[in-house]
Amino acid sequence: MKKVVVYPGTFDPLTNGHLEIIKRASKIFDEVIVLVAKRDEKNTLFSLEERVDIVKRCVSDITNVKVDKLEKLLVDYLREHKINLVLRGLRSYKDFEYEREMFEANTIMLKGIETIFIIAAPHTAFISSSLIKEIAFNGGDVSQFVPKEVQKRLSEKLRR
Ligand code: ADP
């Protein structure tokens, strides 16, 4: 049976940290679905459509990676698509505490889910979408931390 894993997140915007996890996962699983979660647009820099479009462009060269929107509870998406594997990245103990709670809640809501964690690579572990936005908003150079596409989209946003 095909091993399909979903990688849910906000990806506001996608960073090299996310991309690192996606690439490593694409070598382990038959298919990786990056699930871009809907959020209150007042709280995100990029709209859901923009975030999906950015991820699609940045993973287009990895054949077994797909991108989809998550506009409901993760457990409902998993149930509907008959998927039981969830992937998350771990940067630090702070991520771990939050992830443990999510894992427990999800497992209670839908039996049989497995969450697989990939530990961040040392050279990208410190990268977060909020750090990227902070640097970009203050005129800093984010080119080492995000794909070119994201760099372009951030400067377009900031010009407005
Ligand atoms: P969420 O709002 O769900 O935390 P994020 O887009 O911030 O969405 O993160 C999505 C996933 O990617 C989470 O599992 C997060 O821990 C992981 N992640 C974020 N940044 C990195 C990074 N630099 N290295 C590895 N994993 C990361």
Side-chain angles (χ1 to χ4, degrees):
M1 220 175 73
K2 232 169 106 175
K3 285 251 175 287
V4 182
V5 71
V6 299
Y7 178 37
T10 311
F11 307 106
D12 183 44
L14 182 84
T15 68
N16 287 348
H18 294 127
L19 215 44
E20 159 80 20
I21 298 289
I22 295 170
K23 284 182 184 159
R24 284 161 68 194
S26 73
K27 294 184 190 138
I28 302 170
F29 300 96
D30 296 316
E31 188 174 307
V32 178
I33 304 174
V34 183
L35 263 188
V36 184
K38 184 178 154 105
R39 299 275 183 245
D40 182 347
E41 296 211 340
K42 280 188 248 89
N43 297 325
T44 58
L45 177 63
F46 294 96
S47 69
L48 177 61
E49 303 304 329
E50 288 172 321
R51 287 180 282 129
V52 168
D53 183 54
I54 292 172
V55 179
K56 277 191 178 158
R57 286 167 191 266
C58 296
V59 301
S60 62
D61 59 332
I62 321 173
T63 50
N64 62 338
V65 176
K66 291 191 178 151
V67 186
D68 201 359
K69 287 181 212 164
L70 178 64
E71 298 183 273
K72 53 182 78 163
L73 275 180
L74 177 61
V75 286
D76 291 333
Y77 183 97
L78 295 171
R79 197 178 285 122
E80 213 171 273
H81 292 81
K82 300 191 170 32
I83 297 172
N84 68 344
L85 298 177
V86 178
L87 169 71
R88 297 283 287 173
L90 276 189
R91 282 163 293 185
S92 66
Y93 73 93
K94 281 184 247 151
D95 274 350
F96 176 77
E97 267 314 301
Y98 173 75
E99 294 299 339
R100 196 178 47 76
E101 282 173 18
M102 288 301 292
F103 168 78
E104 282 169 12
N106 283 336
T107 323
I108 289 169
M109 287 190 281
L110 182 62
K111 298 253 171 317
I113 303 181
E114 279 298 351
T115 305
I116 287 121
F117 297 100
I118 294 189
I119 295 188
H123 62 288
T124 49
F126 64 93
I127 306 176
S128 66
S129 298
S130 41
L131 176 69
I132 295 306
K133 286 180 274 191
E134 184 74 30
I135 298 173
F137 277 131
N138 287 291
D141 175 11
V142 292
S143 59
Q144 293 184 66
F145 313 131
V146 295
K148 278 220 160 53
E149 177 66 25
V150 174
Q151 206 188 330
K152 187 182 105 201
R153 305 286 275 257
L154 274 169
S155 28
E156 282 169 9
K157 254 307 156 202
L158 294 171
R159 248 183 270 133
R160 277 189 220 142

